Amino acid sequence: EAQVTQNPRYLITVTGKKLTVTCSQNMNHEYMSWYRQDPGLGLRQIYYSMNVEVTDKGDVPEGYKVSRKEKRNFPLILESPSPNQTSLYFCASRGGGLYEQYFGPGTRLTVT
Amino acid sequence: GQQLNQSPQSMFIQEGEDVSMNCTSSSIFNTWLWYKQDPGEGPVLLIALYKAGELTSNGRLTAQFGITRKDSFLNISASIPSDVGIYFCAGQLPPGNTGKLIFGQGTTLQVKP
């Protein structure tokens, strides 16, 4: 089954404790992205990647890092999480030449 | 950054009614996408539009890519309770095939049986 998976689905952590949210897709897609969703603000892009070792900032990249060492994986790293990063996070992927993005199930992060 | 203005923000309608929502921007877009998000789930693609003036249907859903390339609308006919959710528009800016999509703020739809 074609899908985008994220782990963990739920995470509660404390300020300053480094964390990684994993994202994996099995569709051999070139493009992958991370979004955060906050009430009233819709989906805002954090980072995106056009292929292995090619990443770029989205609209709200501050406080986040990403890496794309393999085509299927695109982890999101919060080196020093803060409470304003409490949000619902989505990973997405799409194939080259098409704009239809497929989203993962989401990771709800709470930073206290 | 770039913004899409999506309206209305929320709708509460009776089952069987038709629904219309739209997105506008001051920028030109290459592509318009419409997504639906159910509670606790990720957004699911409903319709993709690639050409100005294009009108595309998916069951009871119809979407159009505006002639000016700065707007798009989504219509849902004969709404049913499972249409409940948040609907998002998203646009791809020119010039090219990058990974960047801009999303609207979403329209929350509630359907009364």
Side-chain angles (χ1 to χ4, degrees):
Chain A
E1 179 190 353
Q3 61 182 354
V4 179
T5 56
Q6 295 177 228
N7 281 292
R9 294 289 312 277
Y10 302 91
L11 179 60
I12 301 174
T13 189
V14 296
T15 299
K17 186 177 181 182
K18 180 180 179 179
L19 66 92
T20 300
V21 184
T22 65
C23 173
S24 182
Q25 50 94 4
N26 63 0
M27 296 168 278
N28 201 36
H29 283 168
E30 286 85 359
Y31 298 88
M32 297 185 75
S33 294
W34 276 103
Y35 295 86
R36 61 178 288 173
Q37 184 177 19
D38 303 290
L41 297 177
L43 288 154
R44 295 180 293 168
Q45 193 175 48
I46 302 170
Y47 268 95
Y48 62 97
S49 169
M50 290 183 278
N51 215 320
V52 175
E53 303 290 4
V54 181
T55 63
D56 205 353
K57 296 177 181 178
D59 293 317
V60 288
E62 293 78 18
Y64 304 94
K65 284 175 55 177
V66 293
S67 70
R68 187 93 182 272
K69 294 185 171 52
E70 308 165 280
K71 199 172 187 180
R72 62 182 292 125
N73 296 323
F74 190 44
L76 179 69
I77 303 155
L78 284 71
E79 295 271 5
S80 183
S82 62
N84 65 10
Q85 292 178 300
T86 292
S87 187
L88 180 58
Y89 292 86
F90 289 101
C91 180
S93 76
R94 70 175 178 90
L98 298 173
Y99 296 109
E100 295 95 337
Q101 285 200 87
Y102 296 90
F103 284 82
T107 295
R108 185 165 292 281
L109 172 66
T110 302
V111 184
T112 62
Chain B
Q2 301 287 343
Q3 284 199 329
L4 288 180
N5 298 311
Q6 186 171 349
S7 65
Q9 281 192 323
S10 62
M11 303 180 74
F12 191 89
I13 62 169
Q14 196 76 34
E15 182 177 1
E17 289 182 355
D18 296 343
V19 172
S20 185
M21 59 191 79
N22 69 83
C23 275
T24 60
S25 175
S26 57
S27 301
I28 290 174
F29 286 89
N30 274 348
T31 301
W32 285 95
L33 307 173
W34 284 93
Y35 287 87
K36 182 191 177 206
Q37 184 179 25
D38 291 326
E41 307 276 337
V44 174
L45 183 68
L46 298 173
I47 292 178
L49 302 159
Y50 294 102
K51 288 170 27 178
E54 181 180 354
L55 184 71
T56 297
S57 293
N58 178 7
R60 293 178 296 105
L61 278 60
T62 302
Q64 184 158 29
F65 192 144
I67 289 290
T68 65
R69 295 172 63 193
K70 294 181 179 181
D71 61 340
S72 178
F73 73 76
L74 175 71
N75 286 343
I76 305 172
S77 62
S79 59
I80 58 178
S82 63
D83 290 334
V84 165
I86 305 176
Y87 292 80
F88 290 100
C89 62
Q92 167 79 45
L93 290 166
N97 192 16
T98 70
K100 191 166 177 63
L101 278 182
I102 311 295
F103 279 81
Q105 303 95 324
T107 295
T108 300
L109 178 64
Q110 294 177 285
V111 179
K112 185 178 180 182

